[in-house]
Amino acid sequence: MKAIVFDMDGTLLNSMPAWNAVNARLIEEFDIPMDQVDYDVVITQGFEDLVRMLKENFDFAPDVDAMYKRANSIMSKWYKENSVTREGVVETLNCFKDAGIPMGVATATNYDLAMIALEKAGILDYFDLVYSSSTDGFPKNDKRYWEAAAKAMGQAPEDMALFDDALYALITAKAAGYTVVALEDEAYGQDIDQMKRQADYYLVGFEYFTPKEWLEKEDQRRVQ
């Protein structure tokens, strides 16, 4: 394994409850008709999932740009005040750092917000790259996102691993050539069975993860 990238919200950071609250707030503020979908499911989706759901399920065209700006405004304040890592994240990052593995962040969150969040959480300096959907304009369900992230890390996708809590990101990154590690997040509406089927590895949390053993197992898997 030559490099690793991590999703940010819900993977490195315990921020999905805040994004869920943003989704609920946007649904109310933008008068989105929710009688055709499950409200409880929608508010536990990531923001990108919410926008995709709106485009797929409704005839009207919500002002997506205005929604992004509103969401970013709310989350900027939240990140500055509340951004913290999930349990076991710092220990995991230290292990990979000690092993000499270059690391990056691959997020759908706006780049400027991601920098605020990672700095507040005290982990920004671990990363050689912070790659965002706002960097080149690719969403995380586009293979070009993952190809560009690998290129920015100076690696081929086949030599990269992704840790992420979003099924669509795991599927797309795997199709691009990445080894993918699914991470459980209770605050995110996940299809656990699908994630286990699609991912190369599945983690309940970083606090139960041993990076050294995983690297050894992955090296063995690659030579088989």
Side-chain angles (χ1 to χ4, degrees):
M1 185 59 60
K2 295 184 178 179
I4 296 170
V5 290
F6 299 85
D7 169 56
M8 188 179 77
D9 294 295
T11 298
L12 292 172
L13 305 183
N14 188 21
S15 50
M16 283 311 299
W19 276 109
N20 295 346
V22 167
N23 286 356
R25 193 163 173 178
L26 292 177
I27 288 168
E28 180 179 351
E29 290 184 4
F30 284 81
D31 295 322
I32 296 168
M34 298 308 298
D35 55 327
Q36 301 175 41
V37 295
D38 189 331
Y39 178 84
D40 291 332
V41 171
V42 168
I43 65 168
T44 57
Q45 292 180 318
F47 182 72
E48 295 291 329
D49 293 322
L50 172 63
V51 171
R52 187 163 49 252
M53 181 278 296
L54 294 176
K55 290 179 178 179
E56 291 174 352
N57 286 276
F58 297 114
D59 293 332
F60 78 102
D63 189 339
V64 173
D65 288 339
M67 291 180 68
Y68 274 113
K69 289 179 182 178
R70 181 65 175 135
N72 288 344
S73 174
I74 297 169
M75 287 303 297
S76 176
K77 183 176 186 297
W78 188 91
Y79 283 136
K80 289 174 182 177
E81 297 175 355
N82 303 292
S83 184
V84 294
T85 61
R86 288 186 56 168
E87 187 176 352
V89 163
V90 172
E91 293 81 357
T92 296
L93 296 178
N94 279 325
C95 287
F96 284 136
K97 180 180 179 180
D98 291 344
I101 306 293
M103 294 179 287
V105 174
T107 180
T109 299
N110 174 276
Y111 175 83
D112 292 334
L113 285 187
M115 296 296 284
I116 292 169
L118 294 166
E119 184 171 14
K120 172 62 177 176
I123 58 174
L124 179 60
D125 290 344
Y126 283 98
F127 303 110
D128 300 295
L129 171 73
V130 177
Y131 189 80
S132 164
S133 292
S134 67
T135 303
D136 293 308
F138 302 134
K140 290 178 73 175
N141 64 341
D142 187 327
K143 278 179 64 176
R144 292 175 296 176
Y145 176 103
W146 301 105
E147 293 164 352
K151 183 177 181 180
M153 288 291 289
Q155 304 293 341
E158 292 75 17
D159 294 322
M160 299 274 292
L162 165 70
F163 288 71
D164 206 306
D165 65 335
L167 178 61
Y168 73 91
L170 295 164
I171 291 173
T172 311
K174 188 170 185 177
Y178 285 63
T179 295
V180 295
V181 184
L183 191 74
E184 187 172 314
D185 180 7
E186 292 182 356
Y188 192 13
Q190 296 173 307
D191 186 335
I192 300 298
D193 290 338
Q194 269 281 63
M195 290 181 73
K196 289 180 177 179
R197 283 194 292 269
Q198 296 291 340
D200 298 297
Y201 302 92
Y202 182 83
L203 298 182
V204 174
F206 286 111
E207 64 269 36
Y208 307 108
F209 179 55
T210 308
K212 184 178 179 181
E213 291 182 3
W214 178 80
L215 285 171
E216 291 173 352
K217 184 183 296 184
E218 180 59 18
D219 286 343
Q220 292 171 4
R221 187 178 75 92
R222 285 170 175 265
V223 298
Q224 290 177 353

mmCIF file of all heavy atoms in Angstrom, residues 7 31 50 56 76-77 81 86 98 105 123 127 147 156 163 165 168 175 190 201:
data_model
loop_
_atom_site.group_PDB
_atom_site.id
_atom_site.type_symbol
_atom_site.label_atom_id
_atom_site.label_comp_id
_atom_site.label_asym_id
_atom_site.label_seq_id
_atom_site.Cartn_x
_atom_site.Cartn_y
_atom_site.Cartn_z
ATOM 1 N N ASP A 7 -12.078 9.702 3.941
ATOM 2 C CA ASP A 7 -13.205 10.622 3.945
ATOM 3 C C ASP A 7 -13.122 11.445 5.228
ATOM 4 O O ASP A 7 -12.511 11.015 6.217
ATOM 5 C CB ASP A 7 -14.504 9.812 3.900
ATOM 6 C CG ASP A 7 -15.722 10.650 4.167
ATOM 7 O OD1 ASP A 7 -15.925 11.652 3.457
ATOM 8 O OD2 ASP A 7 -16.481 10.315 5.111
ATOM 9 N N ASP A 31 -38.515 24.788 1.741
ATOM 10 C CA ASP A 31 -39.877 24.287 1.473
ATOM 11 C C ASP A 31 -39.873 23.052 0.576
ATOM 12 O O ASP A 31 -40.619 22.959 -0.408
ATOM 13 C CB ASP A 31 -40.734 25.384 0.820
ATOM 14 C CG ASP A 31 -40.958 26.565 1.754
ATOM 15 O OD1 ASP A 31 -41.140 26.325 2.954
ATOM 16 O OD2 ASP A 31 -40.925 27.707 1.275
ATOM 17 N N LEU A 50 -28.436 14.096 -0.145
ATOM 18 C CA LEU A 50 -29.676 14.867 -0.115
ATOM 19 C C LEU A 50 -29.900 15.565 -1.451
ATOM 20 O O LEU A 50 -31.001 15.493 -2.018
ATOM 21 C CB LEU A 50 -29.617 15.901 1.010
ATOM 22 C CG LEU A 50 -30.777 16.912 1.052
ATOM 23 C CD1 LEU A 50 -32.105 16.210 1.294
ATOM 24 C CD2 LEU A 50 -30.522 17.982 2.112
ATOM 25 N N GLU A 56 -33.433 13.433 -8.116
ATOM 26 C CA GLU A 56 -34.011 12.194 -8.624
ATOM 27 C C GLU A 56 -35.509 12.071 -8.347
ATOM 28 O O GLU A 56 -36.231 11.414 -9.096
ATOM 29 C CB GLU A 56 -33.297 10.985 -8.009
ATOM 30 C CG GLU A 56 -31.856 10.818 -8.483
ATOM 31 C CD GLU A 56 -31.136 9.709 -7.744
ATOM 32 O OE1 GLU A 56 -31.715 9.173 -6.769
ATOM 33 O OE2 GLU A 56 -29.984 9.386 -8.123
ATOM 34 N N SER A 76 -19.593 26.118 8.593
ATOM 35 C CA SER A 76 -18.377 26.861 8.887
ATOM 36 C C SER A 76 -18.323 27.227 10.363
ATOM 37 O O SER A 76 -17.298 27.039 11.038
ATOM 38 C CB SER A 76 -18.306 28.128 8.021
ATOM 39 O OG SER A 76 -17.178 28.901 8.366
ATOM 40 N N LYS A 77 -19.420 27.730 10.866
ATOM 41 C CA LYS A 77 -19.497 28.089 12.292
ATOM 42 C C LYS A 77 -19.353 26.844 13.166
ATOM 43 O O LYS A 77 -18.639 26.853 14.172
ATOM 44 C CB LYS A 77 -20.823 28.791 12.584
ATOM 45 C CG LYS A 77 -20.986 29.271 14.011
ATOM 46 C CD LYS A 77 -22.290 30.042 14.159
ATOM 47 C CE LYS A 77 -22.417 30.672 15.556
ATOM 48 N NZ LYS A 77 -22.468 29.680 16.639
ATOM 49 N N GLU A 81 -16.146 25.739 15.936
ATOM 50 C CA GLU A 81 -16.414 25.611 17.363
ATOM 51 C C GLU A 81 -16.392 24.177 17.870
ATOM 52 O O GLU A 81 -16.085 23.937 19.047
ATOM 53 C CB GLU A 81 -17.788 26.219 17.681
ATOM 54 C CG GLU A 81 -17.871 27.718 17.400
ATOM 55 C CD GLU A 81 -19.269 28.269 17.605
ATOM 56 O OE1 GLU A 81 -20.205 27.460 17.871
ATOM 57 O OE2 GLU A 81 -19.441 29.499 17.517
ATOM 58 N N ARG A 86 -13.264 11.268 15.485
ATOM 59 C CA ARG A 86 -13.870 10.069 16.024
ATOM 60 C C ARG A 86 -12.856 9.322 16.878
ATOM 61 O O ARG A 86 -11.646 9.501 16.745
ATOM 62 C CB ARG A 86 -14.353 9.154 14.889
ATOM 63 C CG ARG A 86 -15.580 9.661 14.167
ATOM 64 C CD ARG A 86 -16.089 8.653 13.161
ATOM 65 N NE ARG A 86 -16.378 7.348 13.770
ATOM 66 C CZ ARG A 86 -17.055 6.371 13.157
ATOM 67 N NH1 ARG A 86 -17.506 6.568 11.937
ATOM 68 N NH2 ARG A 86 -17.271 5.229 13.755
ATOM 69 N N ASP A 98 3.907 6.518 11.281
ATOM 70 C CA ASP A 98 5.110 5.791 11.699
ATOM 71 C C ASP A 98 5.533 4.755 10.656
ATOM 72 O O ASP A 98 6.723 4.438 10.520
ATOM 73 C CB ASP A 98 4.873 5.105 13.038
ATOM 74 C CG ASP A 98 4.753 6.093 14.192
ATOM 75 O OD1 ASP A 98 5.149 7.254 14.022
ATOM 76 O OD2 ASP A 98 4.246 5.698 15.262
ATOM 77 N N VAL A 105 -6.843 13.444 2.559
ATOM 78 C CA VAL A 105 -8.273 13.518 2.841
ATOM 79 C C VAL A 105 -9.003 13.658 1.520
ATOM 80 O O VAL A 105 -8.602 14.449 0.664
ATOM 81 C CB VAL A 105 -8.601 14.710 3.760
ATOM 82 C CG1 VAL A 105 -10.108 14.861 3.939
ATOM 83 C CG2 VAL A 105 -7.916 14.544 5.116
ATOM 84 N N ILE A 123 -5.732 17.636 13.302
ATOM 85 C CA ILE A 123 -5.145 16.559 12.498
ATOM 86 C C ILE A 123 -4.698 17.002 11.109
ATOM 87 O O ILE A 123 -4.237 16.178 10.313
ATOM 88 C CB ILE A 123 -6.119 15.364 12.362
ATOM 89 C CG1 ILE A 123 -7.446 15.803 11.734
ATOM 90 C CG2 ILE A 123 -6.344 14.705 13.722
ATOM 91 C CD1 ILE A 123 -8.388 14.635 11.436
ATOM 92 N N PHE A 127 -1.686 15.199 6.911
ATOM 93 C CA PHE A 127 -2.072 14.933 5.534
ATOM 94 C C PHE A 127 -1.226 15.686 4.509
ATOM 95 O O PHE A 127 -0.943 16.869 4.657
ATOM 96 C CB PHE A 127 -3.551 15.257 5.340
ATOM 97 C CG PHE A 127 -4.435 14.481 6.276
ATOM 98 C CD1 PHE A 127 -5.100 15.122 7.316
ATOM 99 C CD2 PHE A 127 -4.566 13.107 6.144
ATOM 100 C CE1 PHE A 127 -5.891 14.403 8.188
ATOM 101 C CE2 PHE A 127 -5.353 12.376 7.026
ATOM 102 C CZ PHE A 127 -6.011 13.031 8.047
ATOM 103 N N GLU A 147 -9.627 9.279 -9.576
ATOM 104 C CA GLU A 147 -8.433 9.299 -10.421
ATOM 105 C C GLU A 147 -7.617 10.561 -10.169
ATOM 106 O O GLU A 147 -6.381 10.513 -10.076
ATOM 107 C CB GLU A 147 -8.846 9.192 -11.884
ATOM 108 C CG GLU A 147 -9.452 7.842 -12.249
ATOM 109 C CD GLU A 147 -10.205 7.849 -13.572
ATOM 110 O OE1 GLU A 147 -10.399 8.938 -14.148
ATOM 111 O OE2 GLU A 147 -10.618 6.757 -14.006
ATOM 112 N N ALA A 156 -0.848 5.575 -8.468
ATOM 113 C CA ALA A 156 -1.900 4.962 -9.261
ATOM 114 C C ALA A 156 -3.038 4.564 -8.327
ATOM 115 O O ALA A 156 -2.791 4.204 -7.168
ATOM 116 C CB ALA A 156 -1.362 3.720 -9.978
ATOM 117 N N PHE A 163 -10.659 4.942 3.116
ATOM 118 C CA PHE A 163 -11.515 4.685 4.273
ATOM 119 C C PHE A 163 -12.692 5.651 4.182
ATOM 120 O O PHE A 163 -12.489 6.867 4.174
ATOM 121 C CB PHE A 163 -10.751 4.916 5.577
ATOM 122 C CG PHE A 163 -9.712 3.872 5.894
ATOM 123 C CD1 PHE A 163 -8.545 3.790 5.155
ATOM 124 C CD2 PHE A 163 -9.905 2.980 6.942
ATOM 125 C CE1 PHE A 163 -7.568 2.840 5.444
ATOM 126 C CE2 PHE A 163 -8.948 2.025 7.247
ATOM 127 C CZ PHE A 163 -7.782 1.942 6.496
ATOM 128 N N ASP A 165 -17.300 6.192 4.876
ATOM 129 C CA ASP A 165 -18.551 5.683 5.443
ATOM 130 C C ASP A 165 -19.717 5.757 4.466
ATOM 131 O O ASP A 165 -20.845 5.418 4.821
ATOM 132 C CB ASP A 165 -18.914 6.443 6.728
ATOM 133 C CG ASP A 165 -19.216 7.914 6.474
ATOM 134 O OD1 ASP A 165 -18.725 8.469 5.466
ATOM 135 O OD2 ASP A 165 -19.933 8.529 7.292
ATOM 136 N N TYR A 168 -21.804 4.971 -1.833
ATOM 137 C CA TYR A 168 -21.577 5.405 -3.216
ATOM 138 C C TYR A 168 -20.114 5.750 -3.457
ATOM 139 O O TYR A 168 -19.568 5.504 -4.535
ATOM 140 C CB TYR A 168 -22.486 6.593 -3.575
ATOM 141 C CG TYR A 168 -22.105 7.910 -2.944
ATOM 142 C CD1 TYR A 168 -21.247 8.798 -3.594
ATOM 143 C CD2 TYR A 168 -22.607 8.292 -1.696
ATOM 144 C CE1 TYR A 168 -20.901 10.012 -3.024
ATOM 145 C CE2 TYR A 168 -22.265 9.498 -1.117
ATOM 146 C CZ TYR A 168 -21.414 10.355 -1.785
ATOM 147 O OH TYR A 168 -21.065 11.548 -1.222
ATOM 148 N N ALA A 175 -14.278 0.953 -8.182
ATOM 149 C CA ALA A 175 -14.312 0.849 -9.640
ATOM 150 C C ALA A 175 -13.107 1.554 -10.271
ATOM 151 O O ALA A 175 -12.647 1.167 -11.353
ATOM 152 C CB ALA A 175 -15.611 1.442 -10.185
ATOM 153 N N GLN A 190 -26.910 4.115 6.720
ATOM 154 C CA GLN A 190 -26.089 3.210 5.919
ATOM 155 C C GLN A 190 -26.796 1.889 5.647
ATOM 156 O O GLN A 190 -27.564 1.393 6.475
ATOM 157 C CB GLN A 190 -24.769 2.905 6.652
ATOM 158 C CG GLN A 190 -23.869 4.095 6.857
ATOM 159 C CD GLN A 190 -22.683 3.741 7.742
ATOM 160 O OE1 GLN A 190 -22.840 3.213 8.832
ATOM 161 N NE2 GLN A 190 -21.481 4.004 7.246
ATOM 162 N N TYR A 201 -12.784 -4.348 3.059
ATOM 163 C CA TYR A 201 -12.716 -4.504 4.508
ATOM 164 C C TYR A 201 -13.856 -3.701 5.133
ATOM 165 O O TYR A 201 -14.332 -2.727 4.542
ATOM 166 C CB TYR A 201 -11.386 -3.987 5.074
ATOM 167 C CG TYR A 201 -10.161 -4.652 4.512
ATOM 168 C CD1 TYR A 201 -9.503 -4.112 3.398
ATOM 169 C CD2 TYR A 201 -9.638 -5.802 5.082
ATOM 170 C CE1 TYR A 201 -8.367 -4.706 2.881
ATOM 171 C CE2 TYR A 201 -8.493 -6.415 4.567
ATOM 172 C CZ TYR A 201 -7.863 -5.858 3.468
ATOM 173 O OH TYR A 201 -6.746 -6.450 2.949
#
